[in-house]
Amino acid sequence: MLIEPQGVAPTPFLSRRRTLQLLTGLPLAVHLSASPATPLLRRPIPASGELLPAIGLGTWQAFDVAGQAEELVQARAALSRFAELGASVVDSSPMYGTSESVLGELAAALGVHQRLFLATKVWTSGREAGIRQMEQSIARMRVALKGPLDLMQVHNLVDAKTHLATLQDWKAAGRVRYVGVTHYHEGAYAEIERALRAGGLDFVQINYSLAERSADRRLLGLAADMRIAVIVNRPLAGGSLFGRIRGTPLPGWAAEFGCASWAQFFLKWILAHPAVTCAIPGTRNRKYIEDNLGAAVGALPDAAMRRKMAAHIDAL
Ligand SMILES: NC(=O)c1ccc[n+]([C@@H]2O[C@H](COP(=O)([O-])OP(=O)(O)OC[C@H]3O[C@@H](n4cnc5c(N)ncnc54)[C@H](OP(=O)(O)O)[C@@H]3O)[C@@H](O)[C@H]2O)c1
């Protein structure tokens, strides 16, 4: 039964949303920020049903800061806040200089290994070289503090057939929990598609953003059909999306889906694609972490709103 509230008489001329706004005195949509008390949106890994927070963290460049005192303090504060806000997926690679070691050392110092979902990659050719590199990554990230590595991915599909054979053995032996492949460019989508169709993958990591949309032509649908989790890299197009909107205010209608910043606009657009499991913006800036995790709080745009968002960016 609907109880007519006191004070404001809803009229046929007021929309339900407007009536609610008048009743509550709140803006049309309330922006909810990430806080330790606010659960983040989580999405299931299709292979297992395990839930992952939908915003993670990329470490390329951002965590390649061994020996740099000021940057290490920043990275530590960023990782600490990331874990405190309930996020978990952190992506690295032996290609990212000292990032794996910095991540491992900081996570150990903060005592957060158990709370993180650690993903790294293999980026070399040959079976023995791959095994050596993967063992080195696991040691550098101090994975023993949490159990098996969560996710090992073949970076840019380098010698994928060889490494995936090793990784199927490792997975069967409980040395890694999930296996995947990555790329960052649409030129490799045909090869990625072949890898997905070949089977045996739990994850695919690819670029997808308002600046790089081609993955939704085929790949995202294929991943969903094949029940493969999707990690989105370059979700902010390497930061170039911010150049595109410089000097442009966030449109007022972004508040309708709880969006309070351009970063959240870009990330919520990605998360609103149903095939996406997690996006991993790269940063060691604590404020950016808070901002980015806000995209995994509250509403997401529907399909019509996503089209409006894309058209808005195209018109800038
Ligand atoms: N082939 C592969 O496997 C592959 C390829 C590319 C990337 N990746 C993975 O994906 C991750 C993300 O990609 P990416 O780092 O290249 O690009 P990205 O996440 O699209 O963009 C990173 C840039 O966005 C900026 N940024 C982050 N959050 C922000 C915010 N809230 N407000 C304003 N600026 C913000 C960062 O600035 P600051 O630097 O100032 O913090 C940085 O310049 C990588 O770190 C890596 O882990 C994998």
Side-chain angles (χ1 to χ4, degrees), residues 71-272:
E71 288 79 0
L72 277 170
V73 169
Q74 294 163 355
R76 181 184 167 118
L79 186 65
S80 171
R81 189 66 175 144
F82 179 79
E84 184 184 32
L85 292 174
S88 69
V89 179
V90 189
D91 176 72
S92 197
S93 171
M95 192 211 230
Y96 302 163
T98 60
S99 294
E100 288 179 325
S101 307
V102 167
L103 172 61
E105 291 305 316
L106 292 178
L110 292 164
V112 296
H113 268 89
Q114 296 282 351
R115 291 200 245 158
L116 298 180
F117 181 98
L118 291 176
T120 193
K121 313 192 185 87
V122 53
W123 181 63
T124 186
S125 293
R127 183 175 180 277
E128 295 311 317
I131 289 171
R132 271 197 306 279
Q133 191 181 67
M134 291 191 288
E135 283 175 341
Q136 187 179 59
S137 294
I138 286 168
R140 286 179 172 167
M141 292 168 81
R142 305 194 53 183
V143 174
L145 291 172
K146 80 181 299 290
L149 180 72
D150 294 300
L151 170 61
M152 183 64 84
Q153 307 153 105
V154 181
H155 200 149
N156 291 351
L157 293 161
V158 175
D159 203 3
K161 199 166 169 225
T162 303
H163 302 313
L164 289 174
T166 305
L167 284 169
Q168 293 308 339
D169 291 346
W170 279 29
K171 191 174 153 185
R175 296 185 73 181
V176 296
R177 299 176 62 226
Y178 300 104
V179 171
V181 293
T182 79
H183 214 285
Y184 68 99
H185 193 270
E186 68 173 297
Y189 288 179
E191 206 184 336
I192 286 274
E193 188 173 330
R194 281 194 291 279
L196 298 195
R197 290 190 189 282
L201 296 179
D202 305 304
F203 277 81
V204 61
Q205 182 188 135
I206 39 160
N207 60 313
Y208 184 53
S209 71
L210 270 163
E212 298 170 2
R213 298 177 204 163
S214 311
D216 60 17
R217 282 195 213 126
R218 288 167 69 98
L219 267 190
L220 293 181
L222 178 65
D225 289 348
M226 298 196 65
R227 302 186 50 74
I228 294 170
V230 175
I231 292 181
V232 170
N233 66 37
R234 294 179 49 78
L236 306 168
S240 67
L241 273 167
F242 293 100
R244 200 123 147 211
I245 53 83
R246 188 165 296 129
T248 311
L250 191 64
W253 43 263
E256 289 177 34
F257 49 94
C259 178
S261 69
W262 276 112
Q264 292 176 13
F265 186 98
F266 302 142
L267 294 171
K268 278 180 180 272
W269 182 86
I270 294 170
L271 297 187

Side-chain angles (χ1 to χ4, degrees), residues 1-12 19 23:
M1 186 178 72
L2 277 176
I3 299 174
E4 197 165 299
Q6 306 287 309
V8 181
T11 77
T19 306
L23 289 175

